[in-house]
């Protein structure tokens, strides 16, 4: 049974290309267009890993991550922050919120896949 | 200074009053009525002379003249002991030429004055040689009609600080005991006044020092008493508020303070007096009528006595120009950092889509279905255009800031242009499923002569802004109308209102409303700034007309008449 990945990003094109190559790698992918939508879909879709953009409307990625990590039902799901915000600005905040990894946009698609695989194996840092 | 030690001064010419059986306490009573009156007159004259003296030098000069006149002598000199080198130096003399004063340096124990200063006892003798020896005696005889003299010590708080000499009666007679008593009395009076004068001099020096501090403070300082009359102020205050610092001591606050500042200060003083808390405010004031204004910070503070009771008010006036410039520089620096962070985000996002799309095409090597391939190519195309648009926006900002925009006017059909902009932007936001509606109130709008490309940007930025902040599944309505000031296009979207505190700032460049509601939506923070500036270059404007729970409406106004063109645009 394929592993499930939830992608939350308000940038339509970014979300589309990520979905396409993760599906190409054999994952089952669902997308959310903002933070609130992401929280809803975590409940219905029950992903194995979540890719969160940070700067999203309504509820930003950091807040979504905090909410997921404070909920018994979702705290075990690894969260990967995928953001165009410079690492020095947001990385610390992301890890403090409980993120397992931080991927800076633009990224090598293979690199994203490697991070997803490591998180699923429980070794986010490699 | 030396202590008077009588036992160390066994001069044979010693003629102290006490030694002659006239205890000090009884001396005056021993004098006859005429003497008493003479003394009283002398004291009165001395008092007048001293009151008239402006400084110690004047006081010394007046004293020797007065003593000389009183005793009717050829010469009267005051010599004071210099605490630095313990030498007696001439401070005033009616007989020694001024040029010689500096050459006279008398050691303690030397000559008549030195002996008096060392012993602390007066010398009075006509038998000069017996005291000073034949040489000095001969010198005195050649200088004066009579060589006799009186030399009395000057004491301050029991210490000898100098000597007063009276030489040779004018009529050639010998000094009488009455002369000696007068001389002693005068020396006593001189000492008393000298002590007071030195105290005053010290106080006046301290006052001058504090005044120099007050005058050097780069802030205006004004002190008012409880009756609100000016008691003290410095030059900076006079400069800031343009009044003559010398003319107004004692003037009431409402006379001294210039018109626009007066009532603010009086309000502040009332506040201070009722609450006891220092108050402050900022005013724009032109020190010269019609001249440039200066931002001034005013603050009122309670002035208190030593015992803490309120004795008035201190007003401090500060020029805020420099402080404002520093704040502006800091803000501009913060804005620049913010801009770099926004721009890097704006560059990275389309690059992510392009990189991902290229990767997909390379991985599949054309194995994807033609529609899938087309979708990927569309992503690349859109995002390359987005990057190009960002670069265009940045260049446009530079042109606007350096006032190098040249409008290329041509007839433009506004309805057609707005429709084209709406249609071109809608696909980019199809995800949000926004319902759009375009309405033209007046069918006969005609054509306006505008810079087509720049006006397109005005509408694209406003339409993008509407999509960006529109609630998902919400509505965008565009209405074109003819208003009193030209063509009015209203672009409205549903969604959360713009926070009240941000409404003044949304047209600043690089500004983005700081809230989770909006920041994540992205954007360079240039859209509204450019929309407004480009409209203004055409003589129009962009305004936020409404923002509530229902609608947020931006109004773009474009004049029908080219002559209203903004002076900043070098229109062609």
């Amino acid at each position: 049974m394929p592993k499930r990945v939830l992608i939350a990003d308000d940038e339509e094109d970014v979300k589309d290309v990520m979905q396409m190559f993760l599906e190409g790698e054999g994952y089952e992918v669902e997308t959310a267009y903002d933070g609130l939508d992401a929280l809803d879909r975590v409940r219905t879709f029950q992903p194995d890993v979540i890719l969160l953009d940070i700067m999203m409307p309504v509820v930003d990625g950091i807040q979504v991550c905090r909410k997921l990590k404070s909920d018994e039902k979702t705290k075990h799901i690894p969260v990967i922050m995928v953001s165009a915000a410079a690492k020095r600005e947001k990385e610390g905040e992301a890890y403090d919120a409980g993120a397992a990894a931080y991927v800076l946009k633009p990224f090598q698609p293979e690199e994203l896949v490697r991070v997803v695989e490591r998180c699923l194996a429980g070794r986010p840092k490699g | 200074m030396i202590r008077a030690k009588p036992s160390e001064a066994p001069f044979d010419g010693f003629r102290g009053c006490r030694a002659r059986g006239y205890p000090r306490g009884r001396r005056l009573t021993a004098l006859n009525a005429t003497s008493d009156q003479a003394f009283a007159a002398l004291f009165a004259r001395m008092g007048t002379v001293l009151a008239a003296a402006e400084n110690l030098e004047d006081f010394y000069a007046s004293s020797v003249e007065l003593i000389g006149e009183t005793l009717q002598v050829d010469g009267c000199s005051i010599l004071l002991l210099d605490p630095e080198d313990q030498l007696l130096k001439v401070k005033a003399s009616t007989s020694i030429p001024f040029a010689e004063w500096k050459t006279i340096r008398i050691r303690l124990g030397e000559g008549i004055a030195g002996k008096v200063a060392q012993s602390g006892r007066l010398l009075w003798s006509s038998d000069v040689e017996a005291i000073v020896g034949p040489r000095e005696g001969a010198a005195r005889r050649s200088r004066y009609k009579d060589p006799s003299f009186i030399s009395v010590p000057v004491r301050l708080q029991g210490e000898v600080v100098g000597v007063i000499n009276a030489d040779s009666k004018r009529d050639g007679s010998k000094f009488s005991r009455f002369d000696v008593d007068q001389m002693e009395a005068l020396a006593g009076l001189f000492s008393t006044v000298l002590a007071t004068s030195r105290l005053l001099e010290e106080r006046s020096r301290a006052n001058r020092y504090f005044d120099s501090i007050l005058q050097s403070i780069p802030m205006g300082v004004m002190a008012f008493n409880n009756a609100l009359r000016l008691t003290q102020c410095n030059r900076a205050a006079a400069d800031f508020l343009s009044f003559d610092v010398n003319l107004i001591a004692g003037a009431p606050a409402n006379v001294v303070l210039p018109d626009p500042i007066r009532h603010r200060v009086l309000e502040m003083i009332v506040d201070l007096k009722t609450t006891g808390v220092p108050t402050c405010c900022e005013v724009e004031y032109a020190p010269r009528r019609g001249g440039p204004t200066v931002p001034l910070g005013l603050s009122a503070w309670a002035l208190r006595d030593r015992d803490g009771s309120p004795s008035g008010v201190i007003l401090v006036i500060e020029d805020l120009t420099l402080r404002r410039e520093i704040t502006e520089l800091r803000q501009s620096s913060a804005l620049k950092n913010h801009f770099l962070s926004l721009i890097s985000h704006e560059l990275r996002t389309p690059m992510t889509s392009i990189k991902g799309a290229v990767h997909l095409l390379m991985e599949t090597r054309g194995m994807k279905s033609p529609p899938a391939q087309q979708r990927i190519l569309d992503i690349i195309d859109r995002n390359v255009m987005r990057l190009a648009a960002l670069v265009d926006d940045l260049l446009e900002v530079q042109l606007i800031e350096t006032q190098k925009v040249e409008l290329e006017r041509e007839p433009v059909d506004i309805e057609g242009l707005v429709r084209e902009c709406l249609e071109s932007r809608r696909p980019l936001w199809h995800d949000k499923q926004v319902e759009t509606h375009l309405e033209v109130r007046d069918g006969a709008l005609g054509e306006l002569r505008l810079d087509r490309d720049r006006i397109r940007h005005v509408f694209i930025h406003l339409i993008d802004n509407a999509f960006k902040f529109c609630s998902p599944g919400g509505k965008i309505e565009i209405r074109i109308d003819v208003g009193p000031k030209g063509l009015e296009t209203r672009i409205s979207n549903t969604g959360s209102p713009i926070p009240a505190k941000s409404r003044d700032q949304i047209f600043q460049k690089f500004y983005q409303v700081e809230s989770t509601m909006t920041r994540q939506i992205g954007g360079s923070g240039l859209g509204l700034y450019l929309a407004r500036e480009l409209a203004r270059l055409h003589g129009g404007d962009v305004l936020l007309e409404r923002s509530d729970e229902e609608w947020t409406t931006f109004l773009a106004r474009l004049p029908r008449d080219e002559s209203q063109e903004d002076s900043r645009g070098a229109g062609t």
Side-chain angles (χ1 to χ4, degrees):
Chain A
M1 196 171 146
K3 294 282 183 188
R4 296 168 167 220
V5 182
L6 174 67
I7 302 169
D9 201 309
D10 63 319
E11 287 285 344
E12 195 67 19
D13 290 343
V14 174
K15 201 164 57 188
D16 275 1
V17 293
M18 281 166 81
Q19 180 171 15
M20 282 189 257
F21 62 70
L22 284 171
E23 281 176 349
E25 293 293 324
Y27 292 101
E28 186 180 340
V29 178
E30 204 166 320
T31 62
Y33 55 81
D34 66 29
L36 215 55
D37 190 29
L39 287 168
D40 280 347
R41 286 183 198 250
V42 170
R43 269 190 292 274
T44 54
F45 181 59
Q46 297 188 330
D48 297 299
V49 65
I50 303 166
L51 304 185
L52 277 182
D53 180 24
I54 291 181
M55 294 173 181
M56 285 188 295
V58 191
V59 182
D60 74 24
I62 301 280
Q63 287 173 287
V64 172
C65 187
R66 269 198 212 110
K67 280 209 165 75
L68 293 172
K69 292 297 160 186
S70 62
D71 187 335
E72 282 302 319
K73 287 181 201 146
T74 55
K75 66 192 286 185
H76 64 282
I77 309 172
V79 173
I80 301 167
M81 290 293 180
V82 185
S83 173
K87 277 198 170 193
R88 64 184 156 73
E89 282 178 28
K90 292 284 179 186
E91 194 177 25
E93 217 182 318
Y95 285 127
D96 286 348
Y102 188 100
V103 175
L104 179 66
K105 291 174 182 174
F107 46 80
Q108 292 289 352
E110 301 91 330
E111 184 208 338
L112 182 73
V113 173
R114 264 199 304 278
V115 174
V116 169
E117 281 170 356
R118 282 206 300 265
C119 284
L120 286 170
R123 298 175 285 106
K125 307 272 180 197
Chain B
M1 275 179 264
I2 56 162
R3 288 265 170 204
K5 289 178 184 168
S7 58
E8 286 176 12
F11 303 115
D12 59 351
F14 176 69
R15 296 287 190 275
C17 288
R18 215 175 306 172
R20 285 161 40 81
Y22 290 97
R24 273 166 200 267
R26 290 172 54 201
R27 194 182 56 207
L28 286 177
T29 53
L31 296 167
N32 59 32
T34 319
S35 314
D36 279 351
Q37 281 167 2
F39 272 111
L42 200 56
F43 273 82
R45 277 186 67 194
M46 191 93 170
T48 318
V49 163
L50 303 174
E54 285 188 0
N55 50 44
L56 280 175
E57 279 66 37
D58 271 6
F59 165 59
Y60 300 146
S62 305
S63 299
V64 289
E65 274 175 31
L66 182 71
I67 296 168
E69 281 305 304
T70 308
L71 271 72
Q72 289 290 305
V73 288
D74 279 341
C76 179
S77 309
I78 292 174
L79 293 96
L80 294 181
L81 201 59
D82 186 335
E84 295 283 316
D85 52 18
Q86 293 290 303
L87 292 173
L88 285 167
K89 293 171 184 174
V90 180
K91 292 294 169 187
S93 176
T94 59
S95 54
I96 307 167
F98 180 69
E100 287 175 30
W101 292 9
K102 283 194 175 171
T103 63
I104 299 173
R105 297 280 184 273
I106 299 171
R107 273 195 287 274
L108 290 172
E110 205 179 70
I112 300 168
K115 284 182 173 119
V116 171
Q118 192 177 51
S119 68
R121 295 183 184 189
L122 73 81
L123 285 177
W124 164 35
S125 177
S126 51
D127 187 6
V128 179
E129 283 84 352
I131 297 172
V132 294
R135 230 170 114 194
E136 166 95 20
R140 291 189 69 85
R141 279 180 198 285
S142 67
R143 193 185 302 167
Y144 302 112
K145 286 186 191 130
D146 183 273
S148 64
F149 64 87
I150 305 174
S151 182
V152 292
V154 176
R155 283 197 175 82
L156 276 188
Q157 294 169 325
E159 290 183 5
V160 175
V161 296
V163 172
I164 302 178
N165 288 334
D167 299 300
S168 182
K169 294 283 276 186
R170 283 183 198 161
D171 59 5
S173 66
K174 306 285 180 204
F175 282 109
S176 67
R177 207 201 66 221
F178 180 65
D179 290 331
V180 174
D181 285 338
Q182 266 196 322
M183 184 72 175
E184 269 216 302
L186 283 167
L189 192 57
F190 175 82
S191 302
T192 311
V193 178
L194 182 64
T196 316
S197 305
R198 282 200 172 167
L199 209 63
L200 288 176
E201 181 94 343
E202 263 168 42
R203 190 168 295 174
S204 128
R205 197 178 302 131
N207 280 345
R208 281 199 299 274
Y209 181 62
F210 283 117
D211 190 57
S212 72
I213 293 176
L214 183 68
Q215 297 302 339
S216 307
I217 295 175
M219 283 184 271
V221 179
M222 301 174 85
F224 297 96
N225 62 16
N226 281 328
L228 289 188
R229 283 180 180 273
L230 187 68
T231 52
Q232 185 68 267
C233 79
N234 65 359
R235 273 190 296 274
D239 288 348
F240 284 144
L241 304 185
S242 51
F243 56 75
D244 184 348
V245 72
N246 297 312
L247 292 179
I248 42 145
N254 57 359
V255 172
V256 182
L257 297 167
D259 201 15
I261 285 176
R262 185 187 307 138
H263 68 276
R264 297 292 293 272
V265 172
L266 295 178
E267 272 171 22
M268 280 163 52
I269 291 174
V270 170
D271 273 3
L272 174 69
K273 290 202 166 183
T274 45
T275 63
V277 181
T279 51
C280 59
C281 72
E282 288 183 14
V283 292
E284 292 287 332
Y285 178 68
R288 260 178 243 120
R289 194 168 292 214
T293 61
V294 179
L296 295 180
L298 307 174
S299 54
W301 307 76
L303 185 61
R304 292 189 186 283
D305 280 344
R306 275 190 189 172
D307 64 3
S309 58
S311 61
V313 176
I314 297 250
L315 179 68
V316 178
I317 306 151
E318 198 183 349
D319 184 348
L320 300 177
T321 311
L322 191 63
R323 197 186 285 185
R324 285 204 182 162
E325 277 169 8
I326 291 170
T327 310
E328 275 166 22
L329 277 176
R330 280 205 188 120
Q331 279 170 349
S332 131
S333 162
L335 210 59
K336 221 166 265 178
N337 291 339
H338 182 55
F339 162 73
L340 287 175
S341 147
L342 278 180
I343 288 299
S344 99
H345 187 271
E346 280 310 285
L347 289 169
R348 286 173 183 280
T349 300
M351 278 156 66
T352 307
S353 305
I354 295 167
K355 179 138 188 85
V358 169
H359 175 84
L360 283 170
L361 287 178
M362 284 161 67
E363 283 289 287
T364 55
R365 289 187 189 83
M367 285 168 69
K368 283 203 179 273
S369 65
Q373 280 192 27
Q374 187 56 49
R375 198 174 142 208
I376 295 167
L377 288 171
D378 283 347
I379 289 175
I380 295 173
D381 184 54
R382 247 194 322 269
N383 284 282
V384 168
M385 293 314 288
R386 181 169 159 181
L387 286 172
L390 178 62
V391 174
D392 283 348
D393 282 355
L394 290 172
L395 291 176
E396 194 78 339
V397 170
Q398 198 201 7
L399 286 181
I400 290 169
E401 293 211 323
T402 54
Q403 302 182 11
K404 284 182 182 160
V405 177
E406 290 190 7
L407 297 180
E408 289 172 23
R409 289 183 185 267
E410 58 181 301
V412 177
D413 157 29
I414 290 290
E415 184 188 340
L417 183 67
V418 172
R419 199 176 291 282
E420 176 196 318
C421 292
L422 180 60
E423 293 312 317
S424 71
R425 305 314 281 176
R426 195 160 41 199
L428 304 180
W429 302 93
H430 71 271
D431 239 33
K432 276 189 129 169
Q433 299 179 319
V434 172
E435 190 186 314
T436 61
H437 182 67
L438 173 64
E439 184 187 328
V440 182
R441 286 272 180 86
D442 187 337
L445 295 175
E447 288 182 334
L448 268 62
R449 285 185 59 78
L450 302 167
D451 186 322
R452 186 184 177 82
D453 210 35
R454 292 202 156 89
I455 293 302
R456 182 195 284 118
H457 275 100
V458 172
F459 291 122
I460 282 180
H461 286 308
L462 291 175
I463 289 168
D464 273 350
N465 189 71
F467 272 114
K468 207 186 278 181
F469 294 100
C470 189
S471 43
K475 283 186 203 163
I476 290 180
E477 281 191 8
I478 303 179
R479 276 185 205 174
I480 307 177
D481 215 341
V482 178
K485 289 184 182 173
L487 209 63
E488 294 181 340
T489 307
R490 287 179 172 77
I491 298 157
S492 310
N493 65 273
T494 56
S496 298
I498 297 168
K501 64 176 174 140
S502 303
R503 287 178 196 180
D504 290 339
Q505 294 155 303
I506 52 175
F507 291 104
Q508 290 174 10
K509 59 179 184 285
F510 314 134
Y511 186 80
Q512 284 190 328
V513 178
E514 288 292 335
S515 81
T516 52
M517 181 52 226
T518 52
R519 168 58 197 98
Q520 327 72 3
I521 292 170
S524 59
L526 292 172
L528 289 176
Y529 166 77
L530 281 173
R532 169 175 272 187
E533 292 300 316
L534 292 174
R536 285 183 173 178
L537 283 170
H538 287 83
D541 207 352
V542 172
L543 311 162
L544 173 63
E545 200 177 53
R546 171 183 177 178
S547 193
D548 51 37
E549 291 298 331
E550 217 176 333
W551 292 103
T552 291
T553 302
F554 283 91
L555 164 64
R557 189 183 286 143
L558 293 168
R560 302 189 74 116
D561 181 1
E562 262 178 61
S563 65
Q564 293 176 34
E565 180 181 301
D566 189 293
S567 58
R568 286 171 297 177
T572 51

